[in-house]
Amino acid sequence: MSLPTATLPPILPNRGTAKVKSVLSGDTVVLLGRGGDGKRPPEVTFTFERVTAPRMASKANNNVDDPGAFSSREWLRNMCVGKTVTFETRKQGATAGDRVYGLLFMPDPNKSNETWNLSVESVRRGFCTPKVLSGDVITDGTTEDEEDNYEMALQTAYKEAVSQKAGVHASQPLVRKVLNAGDDFSAMTLFEKSKRLCTNSSVTCVIEYVFDGSRYRCIVTDPDLEGAGLMYASFTLILAGVACPRVGNARLNPPTPSEPYAVEARDFVELRLLQRELKVTLNGTDKSGVCLVGTVHHPRGSIAAEILKNGLGRISDWTIRMMSPGDVPPLRIAENTAKRSNIGVFENYIPPTLTGASEFMGTIVEVISGDTLLILPSGELYDNESKLKKISLASVRAPRAGNEKTGKEDEPYAAECKDRLRVLTVGKLAKVNIHYEKEIPIGQNKTEKRQFGTISVGKKDDVGEVLITEGLATTQRHRDDDEKSIRYDDLVAAESIAKAANKGVHSSTEYKKKTVNDLSDPKKAKTYASSLQRAGMTKAVVDYCFNGSRFKLFVPSENCYIMFALSNIRCPQPSPIPGASSRGGQTKTAEPFGDNAKRHSRLNVMQRTVEISCTGVTQGGVMTGDLFVGTGSQRRDYSIELVASGLATVDQRKIDYGEAPKVLIETQTAAQNNKLGIWSIEQVKKNEPKAKAYEKAEERTVDIQISEICNGNTFFFRVVGDESAQVIDNSMKIFTEQNGTDGAPCDIKVGKVVAALFNDGSSNAWYRAKIVEKLANGKVKVLFVDHGNLATVKAASQCRPLDVAFGIENIPAAAKEAQLAMTKVRAITDDDGIEAARYFQRAAWGKDIKTRLHGESDGKVLVTLYDSDIDSPSINENLVAEGLAIIVGKNYEVYDLLDRMGNSDSLSKLVKDIKAAQEKAKSGRKGMWVYGEIAEEDED
């Protein structure tokens, strides 16, 4: 007979059958009925009629049993838990409270044709004692004869138990003291002693209570631990490898609801584990150190796998790491089965969707970090950066690189991990299996969809596993519902090996970051140049490609970074890096085949080990020389390769002076004849009118005032007495008076002219400004077009639109950009460069300067400045005489410039004067000539 499903406590029939779910004490059990129509099976607390058992340990009695209580409970638990029994009710309903009183019957385990009355049998063994009759009312149809027979049987059994001194009648019945983990003993102590003392390192326990599908309260009943004082130790067990939904708590205020499938998971486990005595292998503790993590061994198989297979839980990554690697695959298979079937917690599971192929072959072009690479898929033509796929290693976390801007340092082993991945992969053909995709933050409010997969190269099935095994990376800690690598368990096993060996990031020794000498600074480069030149052929690693022939290299033997350029060739310039801009917001455009040359170098030498021979160093600190790539019969001169492909030209100056190697000239001739690369557009160029770099204009002499100095020979000026400049200045004063200094909404676009606020030292005022660049945090970089200075302002509060009524929005800029004719100075970041700027400031700032205007070059006016009159030595000449500037180029360049400027007499005289001044500076060892001759300026 099945139990009815009425609201508890249910009204039972006089007789029926039910399954024993659990035993609360020697005289009380919980009966489980049958569920139906999707309803949970009903439960009834059933107590033996007219029998009492010793009270079990609880908080109410300081966790100490009444004498014999545990033995009483254990006998009844072993007899009937999980078995079907027959019940007879004697008292229930209002007179019985929240339980039912009656008798339980089950087959005699020794005599199959006879039945045990469990109440009588527990009394016979001394586990219970009869209650004294006190006029109890007989209910539910029980006759007086039946009651008398039952009472007589109890009394007979009782006398037998007393005579044999059984159970509670013994001279010293068992009195158990329950020890609670965290209060009475350390969970780690139990873990360690179980490994040392217990057979096969497994502890015998009784599952006393099930909190949810993966958390249980256990009591130790293993005699091997009795000597260690841990017999009857109570602890919370977290089932290794599984996380089940949490069951809510109706007693809280407000009550917490149960998660979906939480109750089903608990019922599933209770039916199979509750109050069973089982072996448990302890794997470790949780972070709190109070709960233990372990594997429950059931005679019929793995409860963890069954939970997962039925969709009642998910794999728990943090606990599965504690398991033996051999026990993990069945759990993965079980979870995948539930996912495919969309059952339980996976009822809405959708396999990860990929935007591209799940498997492809490709060549590793670049290692971005210790776990992210750029790959060119096989069959793709590398004609655009978008053809490269950015792939991260699935479930692998490499140490993060630092950030110079934020001052964040590298995590330990970040550089070593990246370099190891470079050695394993760059330039090699790889097989890529994509497992999942994620949105990865790449900046403020920006993300990119990144693919994560396993990369196999040669005999290495998973380069991520290699990094983890060597202690250079770790496995990623995923949330339980995250997608992960299909080889995740292999990665975890590899990490365990690295931990055991104390490798890399798991080492107990303090990490010491390797310091690399950065020779990109010109002064340092010049100091070390002779050492590198003497070293002859030297191995180096290409760290970055600026263009086809200019690189940043790491030289292991010298432990330094250097800037390096191929000495005899010139590659066309590629497209600028996105976001890079020059003064005035003008960006350089790519030269024909500049991007092709850079891509060729990225594909063939980027992050490869090469050999270099340094022959010189430029004023900018760039080492020059030859570079060889490949080994053995594959070794090749990279300059010849670029020229042969039509991606570079031999430096014309080297040809003119007979310094260019013959093989390079012959290779260039062959490329010209075959119309390869650059030479394929040469014929078109010949038929087009040649663009003029300089615009010839009638020379004139004016007085100017300098409004902004950019470097030692570049500046902005305003013509003295310029009426348009006066109109603009007066109009902007009125504009400031009428509008105050509060910003106003305006169209913020690069190249747009607006009014921007500037403080000249006395007060804020509005000036015309061109927006050069949008910056973060609502700021913009602007060029004040009537004065030439750059500034960063807030778009919202320091910008406003120009008032059309003033009529000044279309008046040309009052400040013109100019350059001292026939001179070249070093960058403002160089010591000689800053000295040149300071000299120029002392000579020209704050004065009305006599100026000869010669013409324009790329938007800059070429000028000669004079201290007093045009017959006195020019500032151009004086700057060169101080050794702070040099003549603009070689002889042929100077004469070409004079020719294009119309062979001006004044320019010809200026050239002669500057040459004489330069010779004077050389002989006097002034400025940049202090060490004698200097190398050619680096064109880049």
Side-chain angles (χ1 to χ4, degrees):
M1 180 183 291
S2 62
L3 296 177
T5 58
T7 303
L8 290 179
I11 300 300
L12 300 184
N14 292 341
R15 289 177 175 80
T17 60
K19 182 175 287 188
V20 178
K21 176 183 176 182
S22 62
V23 176
L24 304 182
S25 65
D27 61 3
T28 302
V29 301
V30 176
L31 298 181
L32 191 67
R34 294 179 184 174
D37 299 326
K39 296 180 180 179
R40 292 186 66 218
E43 297 178 5
V44 172
T45 302
F46 193 97
T47 299
F48 292 161
E49 172 73 359
R50 298 190 181 280
V51 167
T52 183
R55 188 170 60 163
M56 294 282 289
S58 66
K59 289 183 179 180
N61 56 4
N62 296 320
N63 293 319
V64 177
D65 287 333
D66 285 353
F70 186 68
S71 303
S72 174
R73 200 287 301 266
E74 284 298 277
W75 178 82
L76 189 58
R77 180 187 65 77
N78 285 314
M79 283 284 81
C80 63
V81 165
K83 298 177 182 178
T84 300
V85 296
T86 302
F87 62 83
E88 286 184 9
T89 60
R90 292 295 178 89
K91 183 167 49 177
Q92 61 179 320
T95 59
D98 60 353
R99 60 182 63 194
V100 175
Y101 291 85
L103 308 179
L104 290 183
F105 302 90
M106 64 177 294
D108 187 334
N110 302 316
K111 301 176 182 178
S112 57
N113 57 343
E114 295 186 12
T115 301
W116 267 4
N117 182 328
L118 289 174
S119 305
V120 174
E121 291 302 320
S122 65
V123 171
R124 191 187 312 281
R125 286 162 175 75
F127 297 132
C128 291
T129 56
K131 290 181 180 178
V132 179
L133 287 176
S134 58
D136 290 335
V137 179
I138 301 173
T139 60
D140 298 326
T142 303
T143 64
E144 290 185 7
D145 290 342
E146 291 175 340
E147 186 71 14
D148 290 343
N149 291 336
Y150 175 54
E151 181 65 26
M152 289 177 61
L154 288 179
Q155 294 300 328
T156 301
Y158 176 71
K159 291 177 182 179
E160 184 177 339
V162 171
S163 65
Q164 295 180 2
K165 297 184 178 180
V168 297
H169 310 296
S171 57
Q172 290 184 333
L174 173 66
V175 177
R176 184 186 55 143
K177 166 68 175 178
V178 177
L179 307 175
N180 291 309
D183 296 331
D184 304 310
F185 68 94
S186 165
M188 182 56 70
T189 300
L190 176 58
F191 168 67
E192 292 172 347
K193 291 192 176 181
S194 70
K195 296 296 181 187
R196 191 171 69 253
L197 301 176
C198 295
T199 306
N200 297 325
S201 299
S202 294
V203 184
T204 304
C205 297
V206 175
I207 312 298
E208 288 287 330
Y209 187 78
V210 176
F211 298 101
D212 57 46
S214 57
R215 293 186 307 133
Y216 324 131
R217 188 172 69 242
C218 303
I219 291 287
V220 174
T221 57
D222 197 318
D224 290 341
L225 291 175
E226 187 168 8
L230 292 172
M231 191 68 166
Y232 311 124
S234 174
F235 64 94
T236 297
L237 176 73
I238 299 173
L239 185 62
V242 179
C244 291
R246 291 298 178 93
V247 177
N249 191 336
R251 297 179 180 179
L252 295 179
N253 186 18
T256 57
S258 295
E259 297 176 358
Y261 294 99
V263 175
E264 290 85 345
R266 184 180 64 182
D267 291 346
F268 183 88
V269 172
E270 284 182 339
L271 190 62
R272 292 157 176 80
L273 299 188
L274 184 60
Q275 288 205 328
R276 270 62 165 191
E277 188 172 59
L278 301 167
K279 289 287 186 179
V280 176
T281 299
L282 301 179
N283 305 115
T285 67
D286 66 351
K287 290 182 179 179
S288 69
V290 175
C291 301
L292 284 150
V293 178
T295 302
V296 177
H297 302 285
H298 194 282
R300 293 193 177 184
S302 169
I303 187 65
E306 290 300 314
I307 290 170
L308 293 170
K309 186 171 67 176
N310 287 274
L312 298 175
R314 305 174 188 272
I315 282 181
S316 167
D317 283 331
W318 75 269
T319 57
I320 207 171
R321 288 170 179 269
M322 301 182 183
M323 298 177 65
S324 170
D327 295 336
V328 174
L331 303 190
R332 296 286 182 197
I333 294 171
E335 185 183 62
N336 289 333
T337 300
K339 286 180 176 179
R340 287 194 299 270
S341 303
N342 289 111
I343 59 175
V345 296
F346 302 108
E347 61 181 346
N348 297 318
Y349 173 76
I350 300 174
T353 55
L354 304 176
T355 55
S358 61
E359 181 178 312
F360 66 91
M361 302 291 291
T363 301
I364 310 296
V365 175
E366 181 182 353
V367 172
I368 299 175
S369 67
D371 55 15
T372 303
L373 311 91
L374 290 178
I375 304 175
L376 179 66
S378 299
E380 289 282 0
L381 180 64
Y382 184 25
D383 56 1
N384 193 289
E385 292 299 317
S386 63
K387 295 294 182 68
L388 300 180
K389 287 182 173 290
K390 185 185 284 188
I391 306 295
S392 290
L393 300 178
S395 300
V396 175
R397 186 194 184 279
R400 298 290 183 251
N403 189 320
E404 290 184 2
K405 293 182 179 179
T406 61
K408 186 177 181 180
E409 295 186 352
D410 289 355
E411 293 181 2
Y413 295 95
E416 289 84 348
C417 182
K418 180 181 178 181
D419 190 64
R420 180 61 174 141
L421 185 58
R422 176 192 68 80
V423 172
L424 287 169
T425 61
V426 167
K428 298 177 183 177
L429 184 65
K431 179 182 178 182
V432 184
N433 289 284
I434 304 300
H435 305 315
Y436 56 91
E437 294 177 347
K438 272 185 176 181
E439 291 291 339
I440 303 297
I442 57 173
Q444 282 193 331
N445 303 320
K446 290 184 180 180
T447 61
E448 70 173 5
K449 182 165 283 189
R450 179 88 53 82
Q451 292 186 317
F452 291 77
T454 297
I455 296 177
S456 306
V457 176
K459 295 181 180 180
K460 309 290 186 185
D461 292 332
D462 185 352
V463 295
E465 184 177 354
V466 175
L467 297 176
I468 292 174
T469 302
E470 295 177 3
L472 298 175
T474 57
T475 49
Q476 184 69 49
R477 266 57 174 173
H478 293 284
R479 291 193 298 266
D480 292 341
D481 56 346
D482 279 352
E483 297 297 335
K484 52 183 72 67
S485 169
I486 59 173
R487 303 191 74 257
Y488 188 75
D489 298 322
D490 296 320
L491 301 181
V492 172
E495 185 174 3
S496 299
I497 295 172
K499 281 182 178 178
N502 290 322
K503 288 184 177 180
V505 296
H506 310 294
S507 174
S508 57
T509 59
E510 184 179 356
Y511 173 77
K512 293 183 179 179
K513 183 180 179 182
K514 184 179 179 182
T515 303
V516 181
N517 196 7
D518 190 352
L519 302 186
S520 57
D521 178 76
K523 282 189 175 180
K524 288 185 178 181
K526 292 170 192 173
T527 304
Y528 280 84
S530 58
S531 172
L532 287 169
Q533 290 173 33
R534 289 194 303 269
M537 203 63 69
T538 307
K539 288 189 180 294
V541 177
V542 179
D543 187 67
Y544 188 78
C545 296
F546 294 98
N547 61 29
S549 62
R550 182 177 175 180
F551 317 104
K552 181 180 180 182
L553 306 180
F554 172 64
V555 184
S557 61
E558 301 292 332
N559 190 37
C560 66
Y561 286 109
I562 64 170
M563 307 299 286
F564 183 85
L566 299 177
S567 59
N568 295 304
I569 67 172
R570 181 189 181 278
C571 276
Q573 288 302 306
S575 300
I577 299 172
S581 63
S582 62
R583 179 172 287 274
Q586 300 298 317
T587 56
K588 294 181 179 179
T589 57
E591 295 176 350
F593 287 92
D595 288 331
N596 302 61
K598 182 177 180 179
R599 284 195 291 268
H600 184 85
S601 291
R602 279 172 56 75
L603 193 59
N604 289 280
V605 300
M606 179 70 175
Q607 293 187 337
R608 313 288 182 89
T609 299
V610 298
E611 287 186 285
I612 60 170
S613 175
C614 294
T615 57
V617 60
T618 71
Q619 275 303 111
V622 179
M623 306 290 179
T624 58
D626 300 316
L627 182 146
F628 298 87
V629 62
T631 57
S633 61
Q634 300 295 321
R635 189 173 185 270
R636 59 197 189 275
D637 186 328
Y638 194 60
S639 296
I640 294 176
E641 180 175 324
L642 288 171
V643 173
S645 304
L647 299 175
T649 58
V650 182
D651 192 333
Q652 186 63 43
R653 293 171 296 185
K654 300 283 186 178
I655 297 175
D656 292 343
Y657 294 119
E659 298 174 2
K662 183 179 178 182
V663 64
L664 273 180
I665 297 174
E666 292 174 350
T667 303
Q668 178 168 283
T669 302
Q672 284 176 307
N673 294 336
N674 294 323
K675 293 183 171 55
L676 296 176
I678 296 168
W679 309 110
S680 66
I681 60 172
E682 188 64 22
Q683 193 63 37
V684 177
K685 280 187 170 182
K686 287 181 179 178
N687 296 331
E688 292 177 352
K690 192 170 183 179
K692 288 186 178 180
Y694 295 87
E695 182 181 342
K696 182 67 181 75
E698 183 179 352
E699 284 189 348
R700 62 193 181 102
T701 303
V702 296
D703 289 340
I704 68 167
Q705 279 192 342
I706 294 175
S707 59
E708 178 76 4
I709 293 176
C710 306
N711 59 37
N713 73 341
T714 305
F715 58 96
F716 282 82
F717 71 90
R718 299 175 73 169
V719 177
V720 176
D722 185 358
E723 293 183 358
S724 63
Q726 293 176 3
V727 169
I728 291 169
D729 291 344
N730 292 333
S731 297
M732 294 312 295
K733 284 182 181 179
I734 298 172
F735 184 90
T736 301
E737 292 172 359
Q738 290 184 356
N739 294 288
T741 56
D742 293 332
C746 59
D747 189 12
I748 302 298
K749 290 182 181 177
V750 173
K752 178 83 171 177
V753 178
V754 298
L757 208 59
F758 182 78
N759 192 324
D760 61 3
S762 59
S763 62
N764 285 325
W766 295 103
Y767 298 89
R768 293 197 304 171
K770 180 192 286 186
I771 296 173
V772 173
E773 183 183 357
K774 286 186 179 181
L775 304 175
N777 301 322
K779 294 182 178 181
V780 292
K781 184 182 289 185
V782 297
L783 171 68
F784 290 99
V785 296
D786 299 315
H787 298 273
N789 57 308
L790 283 167
T792 298
V793 298
K794 296 178 181 178
S797 61
Q798 294 177 302
C799 290
R800 65 182 303 126
L802 287 168
D803 195 336
V804 179
F806 285 90
I808 58 172
E809 67 278 359
N810 295 321
I811 298 178
K816 305 293 184 184
E817 191 170 10
Q819 185 172 308
L820 297 180
M822 296 299 176
T823 65
K824 183 188 287 188
V825 296
R826 290 187 178 172
I828 197 76
T829 53
D830 190 276
D831 285 348
D832 289 328
I834 191 66
E835 283 302 319
R838 287 171 178 166
Y839 180 90
F840 182 39
Q841 183 183 37
R842 289 193 298 270
W845 186 259
K847 304 176 183 178
D848 289 353
I849 303 293
K850 285 287 184 185
T851 305
R852 178 173 274 128
L853 311 180
H854 301 288
E856 287 193 6
S857 163
D858 296 327
K860 297 177 184 177
V861 182
L862 292 182
V863 302
T864 303
L865 302 184
Y866 301 92
D867 267 331
S868 53
D869 55 63
I870 58 176
D871 294 324
S872 62
S874 66
I875 292 177
N876 308 41
E877 177 187 348
N878 294 340
L879 197 62
V880 175
E882 292 295 324
L884 300 175
I886 61 174
I887 196 162
V888 76
K890 297 295 184 183
N891 282 338
Y892 70 87
E893 294 177 298
V894 174
Y895 295 142
D896 180 60
L897 175 58
L898 288 172
D899 180 58
R900 283 183 282 165
M901 294 300 294
N903 289 311
S904 159
D905 291 339
S906 60
L907 273 178
S908 298
K909 181 179 181 302
L910 179 63
V911 169
K912 292 178 183 178
D913 293 339
I914 286 179
K915 282 187 175 181
Q918 185 163 296
E919 290 302 320
K920 182 180 177 182
K922 280 185 184 181
S923 61
R925 296 291 182 93
K926 288 190 173 184
M928 64 182 72
W929 306 102
V930 66
Y931 299 113
E933 289 289 334
I934 59 175
E936 297 174 358
E937 274 287 354
D938 181 63
E939 290 186 356
D940 295 327

